[in-house]
C-alpha cells in the first residue's frame, strides 16, 4: 500500500547503452536507488562481459580457421628437395629442414610477424610512422 501512496520509485536510464532500470520494490527511495544502481551495474557488467567473450571467440575462430586444404602451412616436395612455406611464400632446402636446421624459417616467421604488427600500428596511427 505504501508504494501507491509515496513517490519512492526510481527510474534510471544509462544514456550510452540505452539501458533502463525501474525499481519500486522497497518503501524508501534510497533503497530503491541502491537496488536500481546494482541492477544497472550488473546489466552493464554482463554487456561488457559478452562483448569481451565475443571478441575472444572471434580471435580464436580466426586463429583456428576451417581446417581445409587451402589453409596448409607447408608442403614437403621430396622430388625437388624443397620445403615450401605457404605463409611466407618461400622455399627452403628440404635436407636442412629435415635435419633440424629450421632457424631460417623461424627468422622469416618472426620478420613477417613484426612487419604485420608494424603495418597494424601504422594503420591505427599514421602520424606515428612519419
Amino acid at each position: 500500500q505504501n508504494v501507491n501512496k509515496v513517490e519512492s520509485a526510481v527510474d534510471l536510464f544509462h544514456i550510452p547503452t540505452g539501458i533502463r532500470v525501474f525499481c519500486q520494490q522497497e518503501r524508501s527511495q534510497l533503497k530503491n536507488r541502491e537496488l536500481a544502481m546494482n541492477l544497472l551495474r550488473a546489466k552493464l557488467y554482463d554487456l561488457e562481459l559478452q562483448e569481451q567473450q565475443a571478441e575472444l571467440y572471434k580471435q580464436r575462430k580466426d586463429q583456428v580457421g576451417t581446417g581445409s586444404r587451402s589453409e596448409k602451412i607447408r608442403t614437403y616436395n621430396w622430388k625437388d628437395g624443397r620445403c615450401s612455406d605457404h605463409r611466407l611464400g618461400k622455399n627452403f632446402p628440404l635436407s636442412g629442414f629435415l635435419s633440424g636446421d629450421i632457424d631460417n624459417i623461424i627468422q622469416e616467421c618472426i620478420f613477417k610477424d613484426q612487419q604485420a604488427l608494424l603495418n597494424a600500428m601504422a594503420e591505427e596511427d599514421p602520424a606515428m610512422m612519419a
Side-chain angles (χ1 to χ4, degrees), residues 37-47:
M37 284 296 250
N38 287 338
L39 285 170
L40 182 62
R41 192 176 300 117
K43 285 184 179 186
L44 291 173
Y45 177 76
D46 287 342
L47 186 67

Side-chain angles (χ1 to χ4, degrees), residues 41-70:
R41 192 176 300 117
K43 285 184 179 186
L44 291 173
Y45 177 76
D46 287 342
L47 186 67
E48 183 68 26
L49 190 64
Q50 286 176 356
E51 287 176 4
Q52 287 177 354
Q53 288 175 346
E55 179 65 27
L56 185 64
Y57 176 75
K58 182 183 173 294
Q59 288 176 353
R60 286 182 179 169
K61 191 72 174 166
D62 289 344
Q63 286 178 353
V64 171
T66 61
S68 65
R69 277 181 66 94
S70 63

Side-chain angles (χ1 to χ4, degrees), residues 8 14 18-19 29 33-35 44 49 62-63 66 72 85 92 99-100 102 104 107 111 122 127:
S8 60
H14 190 255
I19 296 176
Q29 192 174 27
R33 181 174 291 150
E34 281 184 35
L35 280 172
L44 291 173
L49 190 64
D62 289 344
Q63 286 178 353
T66 61
K72 60 187 174 184
D85 195 308
F92 299 95
S99 66
I102 58 171
N104 293 338
Q107 291 301 321
F111 179 75

Side-chain angles (χ1 to χ4, degrees), residues 88 102-111:
L88 303 173
I102 58 171
D103 292 335
N104 293 338
I105 294 178
I106 292 172
Q107 291 301 321
E108 290 288 335
C109 286
I110 291 171
F111 179 75

Side-chain angles (χ1 to χ4, degrees), residues 68-123:
S68 65
R69 277 181 66 94
S70 63
E71 292 182 343
K72 60 187 174 184
I73 295 173
R74 282 187 210 95
T75 301
Y76 303 97
N77 192 325
W78 298 93
K79 181 178 71 172
D80 296 335
R82 72 172 186 260
C83 172
S84 301
D85 195 308
H86 300 288
R87 295 173 298 179
L88 303 173
K90 293 190 176 185
N91 295 324
F92 299 95
L94 185 62
S95 59
F97 190 78
L98 292 176
S99 66
D101 184 23
I102 58 171
D103 292 335
N104 293 338
I105 294 178
I106 292 172
Q107 291 301 321
E108 290 288 335
C109 286
I110 291 171
F111 179 75
K112 184 174 181 178
D113 188 45
Q114 289 174 346
Q115 288 295 323
L117 288 173
L118 284 173
N119 289 338
M121 286 173 41
E123 289 176 6

